Amino acid sequence: MLKIEDRYGRTFRTLRVSLLQHCNLGCVYCVAGEAELKEANAVGDSLGVEQLLAIIRRLKEQLPLDTVRLTGGEPLLYPGLASLIRGIRAAGIDAVRLTTNGFLLERMAPALKEAGLEALNVSLDAVEEEVFARMSRRHSVERIIRGIDAAVAAGLRVKINTVMMKGMNDSQLLPLLDLAFARGLTIRFLEVMAMGHLHDHAGRYLVTQDELLGRIGEHHRITPEPRAESATARYWTTETGHRFGIIANESEPFCRDCDRLRLDSSGHIYGCLSSNQPIGLGLSETAAEWDEKLKLALAQKQELRFVGSDLSMLHIGG
Ligand code: SAM
């Protein structure tokens, strides 16, 4: 295996695969409205299970890959998800994880566990139905909570992810913390990123890490944990032994040891969320050609911080 590494010692160890652009929610940070969602849901040509597995096996041969995270769009809408998970495990990657909105999780959780899924992140932006609907343009809090409970019952490691947006769902910080802590789950709050239709005005919705810590600190005595290498989140523990995290993309960028490579639903790779330049991989190309493309992708990584992107995470994968 040729060593693909940049001058900061960064390489690709984690692959995030966007399985499809379709989604059953219409979250405000992903799409501007129903029209944009409809457009994404009309895109037809996601890669099939065998094509994806062929790409993942080749990447595993050429990179020190140890983790694959499946995302989208909404990955639970992808046909053949369980066989894909089985295939990735059979390729020698044990850490197969998923990010989902949880809408279909209640009935799918046991099969995902059985297929070899290790862990999942469930996105949940509110506990109050009205606020949830403002964030996602759908009504489904109870259903998602049932999905979270079913995943835990199936033996999956579950974390909750919440994008905090000023004036939209920031009233939900403590109710969400309570919901997670009552279940012994870790919850992570994400600073909103300047992506897709929010590219030029995400700042107006930003709730910073300091604001989050200030508000949580009024209710809990909190202690920071050391940051793990290449982690997106920093974590804190409370006096009651509960744990929460913050993904502070704006306040405390984590590009310097980023190890993520992204594959979109039509087979393009990206080395960075800031990059709008898709790099196509062909299965008929040689290992040397893939090495060159992987180096190009690695060179897309920002030195210090995310600089914004016109692409929504719905397309590039969250
Ligand atoms: N549908 C799945 C879900 O809801 O988890 C997976 C894909 S979705 C794009 C994954 C996650 O990306 C979202 O839940 C949210 O946490 C994150 N995300 C998307 N756009 C974002 C933005 N502009 N800023 C911060 N996080 C964002």
Side-chain angles (χ1 to χ4, degrees):
M1 185 193 302
L2 193 80
K3 203 167 179 194
I4 296 171
E5 198 175 275
D6 70 7
R7 66 195 166 110
Y8 300 111
R10 296 181 295 195
T11 184
F12 295 124
R13 297 183 193 281
T14 300
L15 176 68
R16 292 200 181 201
V17 185
S18 176
L19 296 180
L20 71 183
Q21 295 191 28
H22 304 184
C23 196
N24 36 13
L25 302 188
C27 299
V28 289
Y29 38 76
C30 269
V31 289
E34 294 291 347
E36 191 182 346
L37 182 64
K38 205 166 160 196
E39 214 177 286
N41 283 343
V43 173
D45 53 353
S46 306
L47 299 180
V49 172
E50 284 316 316
Q51 282 169 300
L52 277 174
L53 286 175
I55 295 175
I56 294 170
R57 280 190 218 105
R58 286 272 306 262
L59 289 173
K60 165 100 174 97
E61 280 166 22
Q62 294 185 233
L63 294 170
L65 262 196
D66 54 27
T67 305
V68 172
R69 177 169 294 279
L70 303 172
T71 179
E74 174 45 43
L76 298 189
L77 293 173
Y78 182 76
L81 180 59
S83 15
L84 177 64
I85 294 170
R86 259 185 229 105
I88 301 172
R89 291 294 304 266
I93 297 173
D94 290 337
V96 184
R97 302 174 183 160
L98 184 100
T99 299
T100 173
N101 61 32
F103 193 74
L104 299 172
L105 190 55
E106 188 179 11
R107 68 178 163 83
M108 291 179 72
L112 296 175
K113 171 70 182 170
E114 202 265 324
L117 188 71
E118 184 205 38
L120 47 81
N121 293 342
V122 181
S123 303
L124 180 65
D125 296 320
V127 173
E128 246 176 82
E129 191 65 61
E130 202 186 310
V131 183
F132 181 88
R134 191 189 304 149
M135 290 297 285
S136 69
R137 301 187 173 96
R138 300 288 181 274
H139 287 273
S140 43
V141 173
E142 285 304 319
R143 186 172 166 154
I144 293 169
I145 295 174
R146 286 202 307 274
I148 291 173
D149 291 340
V152 172
L156 288 158
R157 198 152 53 78
V158 178
K159 285 195 199 112
I160 299 175
N161 278 349
T162 301
V163 180
M164 266 294 145
M165 292 178 73
K166 193 158 274 176
M168 296 291 287
N169 68 334
D170 46 349
S171 63
Q172 301 296 293
L173 175 65
L174 295 170
L176 281 162
L177 209 62
D178 289 345
L179 177 124
F181 287 0
R183 289 166 167 76
L185 299 178
T186 298
I187 181 164
R188 297 153 359 135
F189 299 101
L190 286 79
E191 289 182 348
V192 67
M193 294 172 71
M195 297 196 69
H197 75 103
L198 290 179
H199 190 168
D200 298 323
H201 56 277
R204 81 162 79 132
Y205 296 110
L206 180 66
V207 184
T208 64
Q209 170 164 271
D210 280 351
E211 290 175 70
L212 292 167
L213 289 175
R215 285 181 56 198
I216 297 172
E218 288 168 12
H219 299 265
H220 294 278
R221 227 167 349 102
I222 57 178
T223 313
E225 294 179 6
R227 176 181 178 267
E229 206 186 318
S230 76
T232 52
R234 277 189 61 199
Y235 291 94
W236 286 259
T237 39
T238 67
E239 75 289 359
T240 47
H242 293 109
R243 191 165 185 253
F244 71 91
I246 301 181
I247 304 186
N249 185 73
E250 278 299 314
S251 307
E252 212 171 285
F254 34 81
C255 299
R256 265 298 164 87
D257 57 1
C258 173
D259 67 358
R260 286 167 284 282
L261 173 69
R262 290 168 192 274
L263 175 68
D264 74 11
S265 56
S266 33
H268 302 99
I269 53 170
Y270 304 77
C272 179
L273 269 184
S274 296
S275 169
N276 293 327
Q277 299 306 319
I279 301 172
L281 289 179
L283 283 167
S284 56
E285 292 166 343
T286 62
E289 283 169 310
W290 276 40
D291 271 342
E292 283 315 306
K293 292 185 172 182
L294 289 166
K295 281 183 201 154
L296 274 180
L298 193 61
Q300 291 177 337
K301 284 201 182 299
Q302 295 296 311
E303 226 175 281
L304 288 178
R305 60 187 309 126
F306 174 67
V307 295
S309 167
D310 289 334
L311 272 184
S312 156
M313 279 209 209
L314 184 69
H315 303 285
I316 194 170

